[in-house]
Amino acid sequence: MTRTPSTASPPVAAGAAGTAAEKHGTAGRRSRHRAPGGASWHDRPLRRVTPWLFLLAPLALLVTFTYVPVGNMIFYSFTDWDGVSPDRNFVGGDNYTELFTRPELFKVFAVSLYYLTASVVQITVALYFATVLSFDLRFRNLFKGILFFPYLINGVAIGFVFLYFFQDGGTLDSVLSWFGADGDHAWLGSPESANTSLAGVSVWRFTGLNFVLFLGAIQSIPGELYEAAQLDGASRWQQFRHIIAPGIRPVLSLSVILAISGSLSVFEIPYIMTGGATETSTFVIQTVKFAFQFNKTGLASACAVVLLALILLITWIQRRIVPDERVDLV
Amino acid sequence: MGKKTLGVALLTTAMLTVAGCSGGGSPNADETAAAPVNPDGVSGDITVLTNRTDLIQDGTMKKYAAEFNKTYPEVKVGFEGLTDYEGEVKIRMNTEDYGDVLLIPGVIAKGDYPKFFAPLGDTSTMKSTYRFTDKTDVDGRTYGIATFGTANGFVYNKALWKQAGISEWPTTTRQFLDDLRAVERKTGATPYYTNFKDGWPLSGTWTNSVGSVSCDSQASDKLAEMDKPWEEGTDLHALDTLLHDIVHEKLSEKDPATTNWESSKTLLAKGEVGSMMLGSWAINQMRDAAEKAGENPDDIGFMPVPAQEGGRFCATLVSDYQQAVNVHSDHKSAARAWIDWFTEKSGYAAKEGAVSALKSEGMPDTLQEYVDNDVKIVERSEARTSEVNAIDNASEIGLAKPDYRQKLIDIARGAVDGTLDGYFDELDERWSQARRTVGS
């Protein structure tokens, strides 16, 4: 019986007798309570189980769909399994050795720089619009809807739509030709322009999400602060600099973490639009190709484990550099 | 305690995971899926897995099943169409539930066939009736029967080529390029369409022509012993150089990154595109597209790879998917009855304009031009396919995958750095290295 008082009392509103006493009681007092009271003997086991009963469904789901697959993946990464064969051999760390002795496999992370740059743009744009639209503005709800809309569309559909958009003589070219630009460019034709275009699509898609996160955070800042600031003659920029920016810091740092891990694991947009051709392959596309083109499920699992470790590491470093402080504006 | 519980849960999970991985019983692999002697004696519900979702949707498959039931009234046939056939079946094959009849996915190693499929008979006897038996032959037994076979070559628009003043098939790659140039100059059409974006028309179709240049049915098998398959004088060298030159001389579509297979059929039918490397199965689809576009379907022609051996063109004939019986099936003879009926009586191959798996059947109408021009049909040997695939996978080149030819095209049009020779050297290097690791 090493239960601490805090875990002993679940946050259930069961009006059972002795709750208050238990909550603040020590272990010794509790055992004393239990001995004479027959009622608590019946209540106790059930009450102890209650939170776990509530947790059963989410835990089962979590274990089945998160931990078992991850466990499987880690297990596969130590085998030479091809994905279908009933036999697989345990090869120890061979997959990891191969991974780290082939530097060209990590070259694809250079592509992530395009997406990383794009996320800077994305966060800036989202922050700008979130700030502007948090003030009173005509049609602001309409604009909010427009900005958030791309995030609601399925990524696969976006890939297909933008394929037409970037087509030679497609939407983008015709729009540019209205402004007198040469309406004839293979946007996905060369590595630089293809990667920039793809990163652009990802900005288009994810700005809405960042925007909504920022908007929510900004609106949780008490309105009196702005009023006070305005009375003091603070400009919009000063309000942003001294009220909004510090006020939404946790959300901002969350966005940066999401942006970095997202840039490292870009997948669907380049996979659908180019299939990784013309040097637009990312680490995840490469992993998928190992697993499903060359039947190296073992090596692909090792790649996935390495990517997971990398993202955890970067997040940890980031948390060390920018610790999650409590925001206290007032 | 909270943390401890979580730890225990995780550990349990991990153990369950590891334990769960050692599944996979060994079914009775020796039980042959024999053809039933008496059609009335077989019964059961069978499920047929297919990649032809289009034929399920338009009811063609149902018609086949109804036709089949006239002979086998007690067998009920159900179909399951899978859009991403390879991907989905691969995952399902980790269980025992992958239909009664299925197409053998490319991912299954040949040596593993006995673990997944019931043998259909001894190869020595099957060989006399069916084409392509060596593709699924493991230790003297055959595990699959081809749905149909495909001859390879270039689908082209005859009217367009005539307009450019070309009536004879080119006999060398040089001449082929000259002809493409003439098509571009005189008609303004795009002489060749790579289908770069969709990828697959770059992979299988070109690699399937290995053997067309050298007129050697063993050309594909020989890759297993070659250290430099891209060396001057090899089939791969000739084919990939041709593709490189087409793109390098700007005889292909301007923006390969946004090509579209479905619309390319109409482009070819309308004479906006001159040619495409494809299998003969594509001829009928192109003719359909021509009809839909209000063009003459007879304008669609099919020519062999521009190379001759002893004054004669050659074209490889390769097997498409092969049908097999699930080793876990409870209705093996019903399943086998379906395969036999589908191969022999359904008329499927003829309808698709493809080469029947039956040796007794001649060339289909679509290949009439090949017959008329005395093109030598070379049936590709598959004896060492499994070794070639093993090396191919180990080298991560992907002879039947689009990536390496997409890069070839990128090099050819100057989108990425590199030269053709440098790229061939790199491929040779990777191939020979993989050969050493695979240990053949």
Side-chain angles (χ1 to χ4, degrees):
Chain A
M1 276 281 67
T2 52
R3 286 170 56 179
T4 59
S6 65
T7 53
S9 63
V12 201
T19 314
E22 271 173 38
K23 192 176 276 177
H24 304 289
T26 62
R29 267 175 67 196
R30 245 189 291 139
S31 53
R32 198 151 48 84
H33 259 263
R34 196 199 288 171
S40 65
W41 187 86
H42 277 291
D43 287 352
R44 269 287 205 46
L46 199 67
R47 281 204 39 233
R48 218 179 285 163
V49 168
T50 315
W52 291 102
L53 282 178
F54 279 103
L55 273 175
L56 211 59
L59 271 182
L61 290 172
L62 185 72
V63 167
T64 322
F65 295 108
T66 307
Y67 293 111
V68 171
V70 168
N72 264 328
M73 182 180 80
I74 294 172
F75 170 75
Y76 294 151
S77 75
F78 294 104
T79 67
D80 64 354
W81 195 37
D82 67 358
V84 272
S85 170
D87 333 300
R88 57 199 120 192
N89 305 313
F90 189 73
V91 293
D94 281 8
N95 286 323
Y96 292 94
T97 319
E98 187 183 344
L99 203 55
F100 289 109
T101 48
R102 287 174 59 185
E104 84 270 12
L105 295 184
F106 291 94
K107 263 191 205 154
V108 285
F109 279 120
V111 172
S112 299
L113 293 179
Y114 284 96
Y115 294 92
L116 208 55
T117 318
S119 14
V120 175
V121 177
Q122 177 183 315
I123 289 176
T124 319
V125 170
L127 198 53
Y128 174 78
F129 282 112
T131 311
V132 169
L133 291 178
S134 62
F135 294 113
D136 237 352
L137 203 75
R138 200 182 298 200
F139 300 130
R140 61 187 262 220
N141 281 329
L142 176 73
F143 287 121
K144 279 185 205 168
I146 290 174
L147 278 165
F148 187 58
F149 169 69
Y151 185 68
L152 298 174
I153 308 176
N154 180 292
V156 179
I158 291 177
F160 281 119
V161 168
F162 273 89
L163 213 49
Y164 287 100
F165 183 78
F166 286 122
Q167 211 162 27
D168 190 4
T171 321
L172 183 57
D173 279 339
S174 5
V175 170
L176 286 179
S177 70
W178 295 342
F179 299 100
D182 183 17
D184 190 12
H185 187 92
W187 294 99
L188 302 176
S190 69
E192 296 79 30
S193 119
N195 277 318
T196 314
S197 305
L198 294 175
V201 176
S202 116
V203 170
W204 183 83
R205 181 170 180 213
F206 289 107
T207 302
L209 176 70
N210 281 128
F211 165 75
V212 166
L213 288 177
F214 293 149
L215 196 70
I218 292 174
Q219 285 180 344
S220 70
I221 298 171
E224 309 90 68
L225 283 178
Y226 299 119
E227 276 171 40
Q230 263 168 338
L231 286 178
D232 287 342
S235 68
R236 283 284 196 237
W237 167 249
Q238 282 165 330
Q239 287 180 31
F240 174 80
R241 172 79 186 74
H242 297 287
I243 300 175
I244 296 178
I248 63 170
R249 231 182 92 173
V251 174
L252 205 57
S253 82
L254 173 74
S255 291
V256 172
I257 289 176
L258 288 178
I260 292 178
S261 69
S263 306
L264 292 175
S265 54
V266 187
F267 174 64
E268 54 192 18
I269 287 171
Y271 191 74
I272 289 155
M273 292 183 62
T274 65
T278 326
E279 298 190 354
T280 54
S281 190
T282 64
F283 196 72
V284 182
I285 291 182
Q286 190 172 274
T287 306
V288 166
K289 289 198 166 156
F290 278 144
F292 299 104
Q293 269 196 5
F294 303 116
N295 303 330
K296 295 184 174 180
T297 305
L299 184 62
S301 302
C303 286
V305 172
V306 167
L307 182 64
L308 178 69
L310 204 64
I311 288 175
L312 287 178
L313 180 75
I314 289 175
T315 311
W316 180 74
I317 293 174
Q318 210 173 344
R319 288 313 232 181
R320 293 302 294 267
I321 297 172
V322 191
D324 197 9
E325 288 164 13
R326 277 214 48 78
V327 182
D328 214 356
L329 281 173
V330 194
Chain B
M1 163 127 174
K3 268 192 180 159
K4 226 186 218 168
T5 319
L6 188 66
V8 170
L10 280 177
L11 197 68
T12 320
T13 314
M15 279 160 74
L16 280 174
T17 310
V18 174
C21 286
S22 52
S26 52
N28 184 8
D30 283 335
E31 192 194 332
T32 306
V37 187
N38 174 15
D40 291 325
V42 278
S43 60
D45 283 9
I46 58 167
T47 306
V48 178
L49 304 189
T50 174
N51 59 338
R52 295 300 299 266
T53 43
D54 55 330
L55 296 185
I56 293 181
Q57 267 159 18
D58 68 11
T60 313
M61 280 299 184
K62 239 187 203 135
K63 274 182 218 152
Y64 283 138
E67 208 46 50
F68 172 74
N69 278 131
K70 286 181 185 162
T71 324
Y72 297 93
E74 298 299 312
V75 180
K76 205 166 156 270
V77 188
F79 298 97
E80 217 173 298
L82 305 166
T83 319
D84 173 20
Y85 187 81
E86 287 279 334
E88 286 180 44
V89 169
K90 176 181 173 179
I91 292 161
R92 279 178 69 167
M93 290 188 76
N94 283 301
T95 69
E96 294 187 2
D97 173 31
Y98 44 93
D100 296 287
V101 175
L102 72 157
L103 307 168
I104 299 179
V107 47
I108 309 287
K110 207 171 166 184
D112 284 339
Y113 284 0
K115 292 174 192 155
F116 293 108
F117 313 115
L120 303 179
D122 288 332
T123 309
S124 48
T125 51
M126 302 273 292
K127 214 157 74 180
S128 52
T129 320
Y130 301 104
R131 290 186 170 107
F132 318 116
T133 45
D134 61 348
K135 189 171 179 182
T136 56
D137 165 66
V138 181
D139 297 330
R141 287 160 171 227
T142 302
Y143 287 87
I145 296 175
T147 47
F148 58 69
T150 297
N152 292 289
F154 290 93
V155 182
Y156 71 110
N157 188 313
K158 273 194 241 174
L160 187 75
W161 283 54
K162 206 164 271 168
Q163 202 186 327
I166 306 151
S167 49
E168 295 275 300
W169 285 345
T171 53
T172 62
T173 51
R174 206 59 271 163
Q175 202 185 336
F176 185 76
L177 289 169
D178 289 342
D179 288 353
L180 291 184
R181 233 173 275 129
V183 168
E184 186 186 39
R185 210 176 46 243
K186 292 188 186 152
T187 68
T190 305
Y192 185 84
Y193 199 76
T194 61
N195 268 310
F196 182 94
K197 157 73 178 74
D198 288 295
W200 60 263
L202 284 173
S203 49
T205 46
W206 281 85
T207 303
N208 283 345
S209 283
V210 168
S212 289
V213 181
S214 57
C215 219
D216 181 1
S217 63
Q218 315 287 317
S220 188
D221 283 350
K222 281 180 185 160
L223 293 173
E225 323 170 329
M226 289 164 88
D227 259 333
K228 292 183 168 180
W230 279 272
E231 208 174 22
E232 180 99 45
T234 60
D235 278 30
L236 277 172
H237 181 92
L239 291 165
D240 285 342
T241 306
L242 176 61
L243 178 62
H244 171 272
D245 291 350
I246 290 172
V247 177
H248 189 67
E249 299 189 19
K250 300 195 171 23
L251 297 167
S252 58
E253 74 275 14
K254 200 169 54 189
D255 180 13
T258 50
T259 62
N260 182 325
W261 159 246
E262 285 302 327
S263 68
S264 77
K265 293 195 256 184
T266 316
L267 290 177
L268 189 106
K270 282 185 167 170
E272 285 166 36
V273 161
S275 57
M276 286 184 228
M277 166 72 104
L278 287 168
S280 58
W281 55 264
I283 301 172
N284 273 3
Q285 292 199 20
M286 295 291 175
R287 288 186 178 158
D288 284 349
E291 229 156 279
K292 271 183 203 141
E295 305 281 331
N296 182 5
D298 291 337
D299 283 346
I300 306 295
F302 198 57
M303 70 164 95
V305 171
Q308 286 194 323
E309 266 298 309
R312 222 175 148 191
F313 286 108
C314 293
T316 46
L317 178 63
V318 302
S319 159
D320 204 88
Y321 272 123
Q322 302 231 359
Q323 286 194 304
V325 175
N326 182 348
V327 74
H328 306 286
S329 167
D330 294 329
H331 307 288
K332 289 202 180 69
S333 42
R336 177 62 193 273
W338 168 260
I339 295 183
D340 283 355
W341 181 86
F342 195 69
T343 315
E344 290 162 22
K345 309 273 168 57
S346 70
Y348 174 68
K351 199 163 165 250
E352 297 295 313
V355 182
S356 168
L358 288 174
K359 280 193 167 159
S360 53
E361 307 243 326
M363 289 293 131
D365 298 345
T366 43
L367 288 175
Q368 197 54 44
E369 276 183 288
Y370 273 20
V371 177
D372 293 346
N373 289 284
D374 198 25
V375 175
K376 188 178 169 197
I377 301 286
V378 180
E379 191 184 320
R380 182 173 77 173
S381 162
E382 305 273 359
R384 304 187 68 178
T385 303
S386 52
E387 284 167 68
V388 175
N389 285 349
I391 300 170
D392 186 38
N393 281 335
S395 67
E396 288 162 20
I397 290 172
L399 285 174
K401 308 291 172 342
D403 302 60
Y404 103 85
R405 286 207 178 85
Q406 282 183 329
K407 186 164 180 203
L408 181 79
I409 288 177
D410 279 343
I411 290 173
R413 62 199 183 88
V416 305
D417 296 334
T419 62
L420 181 64
D421 290 335
Y423 191 46
F424 280 168
D425 287 346
E426 183 199 321
L427 291 171
D428 279 336
E429 172 64 30
R430 275 160 69 185
W431 189 268
S432 59
Q433 213 164 11
R435 267 198 70 210
R436 284 197 289 277
T437 55
V438 170
S440 53

